[in-house]
Amino acid sequence: MADDSRDATITIALTNDLRKIARVAARIDEYCSARGVAPETVYAINLAVDELLINTISHGYDDDEPHRIEVILRLEGNMVVVAIVDDSAPFDPTEIGEPDINALVDGEEIGGREMEGLGLLLVNRTMDGVEYRRRGGCNVVTLTKNMAGEEGR
């Protein structure tokens, strides 16, 4: 049975531990399924959130201390809106350069630097909107995904 509280917002808190990311995806699945969001849309959202969380946890902290990361999810009209808030080093995922896709196509040996940003390119291409701001010592990345055109909308 679909949840009628389409306007409900959930906050999923985790620490900077890669093992916690799967729980975030499960909560996003639950939230979206209860509100009738199409599986393709949920998949795209989880793909983007996963990539951003992996980057933040793997590259954003210069200590081994636990840090709180929040994933805030809500529906606004025909949009799924996800905000990711973390206190890692400032990083704007909208300003990353394009990776060298031709290196893959040409069969060149893939080292690392030429493929930097491939995940972020995926985030920027699968979401309808990606915005960044720095607020109160935290990165705030807001993702939007339009549900227009989904079955029953």
Side-chain angles (χ1 to χ4, degrees), residues 52-71:
L52 291 170
L53 290 176
I54 288 170
N55 280 350
T56 297
I57 293 169
S58 298
H59 307 294
Y61 298 103
D62 60 2
D63 62 34
D64 293 328
E65 298 299 314
H67 293 267
R68 180 181 171 95
I69 301 169
E70 292 184 345
V71 178

Side-chain angles (χ1 to χ4, degrees), residues 19 36 41 58 82 84 115 149:
R19 296 171 294 187
T41 300
S58 298
V82 182
I84 301 173
M115 294 313 296

Side-chain angles (χ1 to χ4, degrees), residues 53-123:
L53 290 176
I54 288 170
N55 280 350
T56 297
I57 293 169
S58 298
H59 307 294
Y61 298 103
D62 60 2
D63 62 34
D64 293 328
E65 298 299 314
H67 293 267
R68 180 181 171 95
I69 301 169
E70 292 184 345
V71 178
I72 304 159
L73 185 65
R74 69 183 183 278
L75 298 183
E76 288 183 7
N78 283 335
M79 302 294 277
V80 179
V81 180
V82 182
I84 301 173
V85 182
D86 66 73
D87 66 345
S88 71
F91 179 73
D92 183 347
T94 66
E95 292 186 356
I96 193 74
E98 294 267 328
D100 186 0
I101 302 291
N102 292 325
L104 279 177
V105 174
D106 295 339
E108 295 176 22
E109 184 174 330
I110 303 301
R113 289 212 58 75
E114 69 273 0
M115 294 313 296
E116 260 180 27
L118 186 59
L120 294 176
L121 175 67
L122 192 60
V123 170

